């Protein structure tokens, strides 16, 4: 039988509202699952996604939804069969006749953590019954390149080629092409107008996507959901405003940014006052596109964005692969009051198709409860089977492990649904564009 | 991290052929999963099934396929999320618009092991997002009856009623009706011609079904499969002959039975000789319908069936709920050479939709390797996540735990596919009957 130490020891600041949220979720479990089923029937879920959550004790909200998730190697291996089942559903839905999947990873060939993730993703797809080859966009990969990884596994990257209107490697040009590359450096020419099913679609790369669009969809989703389970949507929705263009080097657009920060701080303070929450509001300022944690700031006053020193302004200007941060997202800061061995922790939930397949805690011993934890020095604690996010236990208290993790799984799937609607909207938009 | 003692310690007699089988399965994993996917697309899998396997070391074969599996309470709780995912797929396929499931259990109200199974099944379906009510066929259940179970859980049985052409309880008449009752005592009048989706269909109850038909389908399935992975189908197929009518009390039909036993023993001996297997052939004689282990004999010579004493003949005459055993199945006996702590053990694999969702070992300290283990004194050892039957490990030896269990999952799904074809054939037959 499982022993208790397989689940990381959690310390959470549980005050009224979150317990209340968890109790509401437990009471409405069949309704919730039924609602999700109908929603994802209407709007198909993305192939996969990971969602960063912040749990303040009185509020549980998504703060980042990644449609090209890495980190599959950080999931607990016990839960692998869930991923295999979900992968079968996801590929069958996208490409019913597919026998193979071409996987296109990020270009980094020296980040071994990332490559371990690619190997695990490949293993999941093979176990789901597909031939999987890795086609690399990296111009340095000019021949088949096998890399030995710290885990003892091997990964073979092959140069991606185009033949007629299909991409592939060697003689492998399957119907399904899975992107594990967020296209931060733009839309690769080789992937334009291919006659294959690209998952997720090219338009969802960071070259085209804005976080604020995602959070607009999320706001609608959380409003609809909150009506069903009769909660205040504020409990699960972080206020999000777009602002820009901002150029930190030239100091243009900073007034607008300070205004947005002011709005977020004031509205949050108002809510805190109404609900007797004794915390100081803060706001997160980050690039409205891109996934990496560099161009991100936690601020307590509007002045914080006006009085940046040179180093801070440089940092905010240097998003991933040289992409300039122009549009900014100003988001209500949600305290993370989860602790693992005294270090701050935030849950990251992984989904494939419309299923939660696992998750982990991102833990940082050198950060505080208002900080971005996705930064050097972080480590991961996987969430194991006892807490698989899909199996609440009505016989336990609302804040018991399985129920806490069920709440994570529900809020993460709300973000997944928002992403599904975002994809559907982007498809409609690109069809309208093609037609005109 | 998981510790080794979470998996029951296994002792198996591993000689050449099974290792060879496992190696073949590992080498063809993507082909196998791809083939299963296509097969179940063509012929939908039953809602659920459990399959009893026997592992002789040189042969791995199914010996019983149950379309109304009980024992869900014996599955390892770690694997519950797999069942939840699979239940969603199964119900969505059968009844896309269903919000609720009516579950019809066996009539026994005092078998607490069975009732624990019903509760677990209900929990799985609730977690999958359905309202679940239990409608009992038992005439003693005339009002809602809540039973307290040893686990601390409660089960509420409600009297099944018919309104127009739908069955239900109180005001609950959902589209999906799930049978966990094998209909050994016949087809209940109340379930005939209902305007709901009955899972599995009424024709699959033991009142209509013959094991030999299942094994005929299984033979075809195993022949097709063996070609793909290039193995001798004998490695996975037990020879099965139908014989009857036999009446043990009147001693009629026994000559025919002895003849069938003779054929099975001789052909098995021939195979053993060809492959240097130093075992004595034996045959299993059992009722060709019914699931319970009473009317079942293990015999070593044709004379064993001719020279039965009165007690043995009485036993063979008394199948479940008084159903008379008329048609008999004579099946090649497969030694079970698996041991858990020196006791003989056979794996039982559970599936929902087209997915393996878990399994356990049926263990009997008082039985030998040729005996039927489904008899008083047996106990269960659940197979946990590390061995979930869907996740082989190419980096381990073919006989390592995960690979052994993958082999179980493959052979069990072959039996599942045979059951799927059996259901399809029975539907065709009953449509032809209705049309004529």
């Amino acid at each position: 039988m499982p022993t208790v130490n397989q689940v990381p020891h959690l310390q959470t600041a549980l005050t009224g509202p979150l317990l209340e949220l968890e109790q509401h979720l437990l009471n409405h479990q069949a309704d919730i699952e039924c609602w999700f089923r109908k929603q994802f029937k209407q709007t198909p879920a993305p192939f996969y996604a990971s969602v960063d959550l912040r749990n303040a004790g009185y509020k549980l909200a998504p703060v980042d939804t990644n449609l090209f998730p890495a980190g599959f190697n950080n999931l607990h291996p016990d839960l692998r069969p869930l991923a295999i089942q979900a992968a079968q559903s996801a590929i069958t839905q996208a490409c019913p006749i597919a026998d193979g999947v071409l996987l296109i990873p990020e270009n980094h060939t020296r980040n071994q953590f990332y490559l371990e993730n690619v190997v695990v993703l490949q293993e999941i797809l093979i176990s789901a019954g597909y031939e999987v080859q890795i086609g690399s966009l990296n111009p340095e990969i000019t021949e088949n390149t096998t890399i030995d990884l710290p885990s003892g596994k091997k990964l073979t990257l092959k140069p991606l080629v185009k033949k007629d209107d299909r991409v592939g490697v060697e003689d492998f040009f399957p119907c399904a092409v899975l992107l594990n590359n967020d296209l931060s450096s733009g839309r690769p020419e080789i992937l334009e107008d291919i006659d294959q099913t690209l998952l997720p679609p090219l338009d969802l790369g960071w070259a085209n996507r804005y976080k604020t669009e995602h959070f607009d969809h999320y706001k609608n989703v959380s409003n609809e959901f909150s009506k069903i389970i009769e909660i205040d949507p504020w409990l699960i929705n972080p206020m999000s405003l777009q602002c820009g263009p901002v150029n930190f080097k030239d100091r243009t657009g900073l007034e607008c940014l300070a205004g947005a920060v002011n709005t977020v701080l004031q509205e949050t303070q108002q809510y805190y006052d109404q609900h007797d929450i004794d915390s100081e509001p803060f706001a997160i300022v980050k690039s409205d596109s891109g996934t990496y944690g560099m161009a991100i700031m936690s601020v307590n006053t509007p002045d914080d964005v006006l009085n940046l020193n040179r180093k801070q302004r440089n940092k905010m200007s240097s998003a991933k692969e040289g992409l300039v941060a122009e549009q900014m997202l100003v988001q209500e800061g949600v305290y993370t009051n989860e602790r693992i061995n005294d270090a701050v922790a935030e849950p990251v939930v992984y989904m494939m198709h419309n299923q939660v397949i696992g998750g982990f805690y991102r833990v940082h011993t050198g950060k505080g409860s208002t900080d971005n934890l996705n930064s050097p020095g972080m480590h991961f604690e996987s969430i194991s089977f006892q807490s698989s996010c899909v199996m609440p236990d009505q016989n336990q208290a609302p804040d018991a492990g399985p129920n806490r993790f069920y709440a994570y799984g529900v809020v993460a799937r709300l973000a997944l649904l928002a992403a599904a609607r975002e994809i559907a909207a982007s498809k409609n938009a690109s069809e309208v564009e093609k037609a005109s």
Side-chain angles (χ1 to χ4, degrees), chain A residues 159-172:
Chain A
L160 189 71
V161 294
K162 195 163 191 173
K163 199 160 74 180
D164 302 327
D165 44 6
R166 291 179 93 103
V167 290
V169 296
E170 298 170 341
D171 57 352
F172 182 74

Side-chain angles (χ1 to χ4, degrees), chain A residues 285-296:
Chain A
V285 178
K286 53 186 168 184
S287 165
D288 202 15
S289 41
T291 60
Y292 276 49
M294 291 181 70
I296 190 164

Side-chain angles (χ1 to χ4, degrees), chain A residues 109-120 146-156:
Chain A
T109 53
R110 275 173 293 273
N111 180 341
Q112 296 197 309
F113 296 111
Y114 177 72
L115 297 178
E116 294 279 10
N117 156 68
V118 176
V119 170
V120 169
T146 298
I147 300 171
D148 289 301
L149 295 173
S151 62
K153 296 174 183 173
K154 288 173 191 296
L155 179 70
T156 300

